[in-house]
Amino acid sequence: MLSPLADRTYRHLFAAQVLSLLGTGLLTVALGLLAFDLAGADAGAVLGTALAIKMVAYVGIAPVAGAFVHLLPRRTLLVLLDLVRAAIALALPWVGEIWQVYLLIGLLQSCSAAFTPTFQATIPDVLIDEAEYTKALSLSRLAYDMEALTSPVLAAALLSVIGYHWLFAGTVLGFATSAALVASVLLPSPKPPVHDEGAWSRTTRGARIYLATPRLRGLLALNLAVAAAGAMVIVNTVVLVRGTLGLGDAHLAWTLAAYGFGSMIAALSVPRLLERITDRAVMLTGATVLAGGLALGPAAASAWATLLALWVVLGFGNGLVLTPTGRLLRRSAEAGDRPALFAAQFALSHACWLLTYPLAGWLGAAAGMASTFAVLALLGALGAMLAWRLWPARDEAPSEHVHLDLPADHPHLAGAERLPAGGFRHAHPPLADGLHRSVSVG
């Protein structure tokens, strides 16, 4: 599991990711306290609006950023975005109006919408070996889960000795240190394929490749299943624990930790599972677990012990789907197209969350938890069934084809057979990127 850390470049990038995540976690706590200072009883509405701004930025900005990130070297771009995020976090403690919070959060999340897909697209260019990249994906999943567990604890410890405004300093430090770590290594910056495209075509390029690729159409449906279960956990855990069961804050923390624990078990298991079975089988199993777990929700939520067990199961299903995602994106396009493709995944997956977040909240308030579990279970089952249909197993079989317009030294042609009549023949699972617009089959 830890062998990718032997690579110095990846080691620095992973440390940058961990510190950036910790900074973001502290920001989440500090922002809630700032909202309460500014809005009092209306703090929930302020945070809800800030969350909506975040999702809109993710959905709207990521594809645009993915189309133009190649204009700067990746290292320069990532460092600049980290420094801008640090500057915005530094400004947040000084705001005195709610609209200023919205403005700064919009700017910060716009930077994150450009940073995160670019960062994710860089890792497969650093770790060329697929087995090492798979382990790196598991490490990344563990980092996200550990942040969810440790950031609130760290924030609570800091708040016992300092005011909440100082938590923003921790966020600044996290982003600044991330920038320093990224700046300390050399990063590949593959250029996208040269095409005569306008700004709109470049902006939608990642989405077009995404939606033309069967495995990625299946991934979009899987994102819906993940968002259905995740929204239930994130939005309604506090309602179930504090309201339905009448338990305290400590029980709430342990319940959320159970979800993270289940995801961590999956992240640790996935590399070995993928040595034996396909990505499709692992991810469809995860979606089935999510839909089935949600269906059992009304019965499991009647006692804390069974709710804990259910949250572990949902976390496990979440990890089975999300951990291999980078492998699908990596094998669906050449290096130059990956930033646009990762940006498309970032935007489309958050569009699913933009649907399920309010659905989980409004249904819970209007119809009760049993109905909310049932509707989200149906949504999760729909995602799993659509993924099964949109991503047929046969579409992963290598397809033999001929490239007529690529130079002999092109990396994609490694091991290809040169044909006497011209062109190169090889086989691999279907791709829908720019290299495969003018291939002939056979």
Side-chain angles (χ1 to χ4, degrees), residues 2-399:
L2 300 179
S3 59
L5 296 175
D7 184 289
R8 177 178 179 273
T9 300
Y10 175 72
R11 186 166 64 248
H12 283 225
L13 291 178
F14 181 71
Q17 179 189 21
V18 170
L19 291 169
S20 178
L21 285 172
L22 281 174
T24 303
L26 294 178
L27 176 67
T28 301
V29 176
L31 191 61
L33 295 171
L34 174 63
F36 189 80
D37 261 4
L38 294 176
D42 293 328
V46 173
L47 288 176
T49 304
L51 181 62
I53 291 171
K54 171 183 175 180
M55 290 298 162
V56 170
Y58 282 3
V59 173
I61 299 298
V64 178
F68 296 99
V69 292
H70 65 278
L71 298 178
L72 285 176
R74 281 193 193 171
R75 182 173 67 170
T76 302
L77 177 68
L78 292 173
V79 170
L80 284 175
L81 289 171
D82 257 341
L83 293 178
V84 172
R85 292 196 295 177
I88 294 170
L90 186 62
L92 275 167
W94 308 102
V95 304
E97 300 290 339
I98 292 173
W99 70 266
Q100 295 170 345
V101 174
Y102 295 157
L103 175 63
L104 290 176
I105 289 299
L107 291 173
L108 189 147
Q109 300 301 349
S110 295
C111 290
S112 295
F115 180 95
T116 303
T118 306
F119 184 92
Q120 292 171 337
T122 301
I123 304 302
D125 295 330
V126 172
L127 297 175
I128 304 300
D129 181 74
E130 186 167 67
E132 290 299 289
Y133 179 54
T134 302
K135 295 175 185 177
L137 291 174
S138 292
L139 287 173
S140 179
R141 187 74 249 151
L142 286 171
Y144 278 103
D145 294 331
M146 287 301 297
E147 182 275 323
L149 296 175
T150 58
S151 288
V153 175
L154 178 60
L158 290 172
L159 287 171
S160 67
V161 293
I162 59 176
Y164 78 84
H165 284 92
W166 287 100
L167 294 183
F168 290 109
T171 300
V172 173
L173 182 61
F175 287 145
T177 309
S178 171
L181 286 164
V182 173
S184 68
V185 292
L186 294 175
L187 298 181
S189 297
K191 296 296 183 184
V194 178
H195 297 291
D196 186 17
E197 293 180 323
W200 175 252
S201 292
R202 287 197 298 272
T203 300
T204 59
R205 180 174 179 76
R208 284 185 283 115
I209 295 173
Y210 194 106
L211 296 175
T213 307
R215 71 177 71 89
L216 298 185
R217 291 199 297 268
L219 175 60
L220 179 56
L222 292 170
N223 287 331
L224 181 63
V226 167
M232 186 68 204
V233 171
I234 294 170
V235 174
N236 288 322
T237 298
V238 64
V239 179
L240 290 166
V241 174
R242 297 297 304 276
T244 304
L245 299 176
L247 302 174
D249 290 344
H251 295 84
L252 174 63
W254 280 111
T255 307
L256 290 170
Y259 182 73
F261 181 66
S263 184
M264 290 169 65
I265 295 174
L268 291 168
S269 306
V270 161
R272 289 183 179 273
L273 287 173
L274 292 177
E275 292 174 1
R276 297 171 174 83
I277 55 179
T278 65
D279 300 72
R280 180 179 182 273
V282 169
M283 298 174 79
L284 287 176
T285 299
T288 303
V289 168
L290 292 174
L294 288 170
L296 294 173
S302 60
W304 187 49
T306 51
L307 182 64
L308 283 176
L310 176 61
W311 259 220
V312 171
V313 169
L314 292 179
F316 185 73
N318 174 78
L320 288 182
V321 175
L322 290 183
T323 304
T325 293
R327 285 165 52 104
L328 269 60
L329 296 168
R330 176 186 186 175
R331 69 176 62 134
S332 297
E334 62 173 319
D337 274 330
R338 283 182 194 142
L341 199 58
F342 274 83
Q345 159 65 8
F346 191 78
L348 292 170
S349 63
H350 281 92
C352 295
W353 287 91
L354 196 55
L355 167 67
T356 58
Y357 267 142
L359 186 61
W362 295 338
L363 271 177
M369 289 297 108
S371 297
T372 305
F373 270 118
V375 171
L376 291 174
L378 288 173
L379 202 58
L382 175 64
M385 288 187 292
L386 283 174
W388 182 76
R389 291 292 301 274
L390 294 170
W391 183 11
R394 64 178 180 274
D395 282 345
E396 290 300 296
S399 173

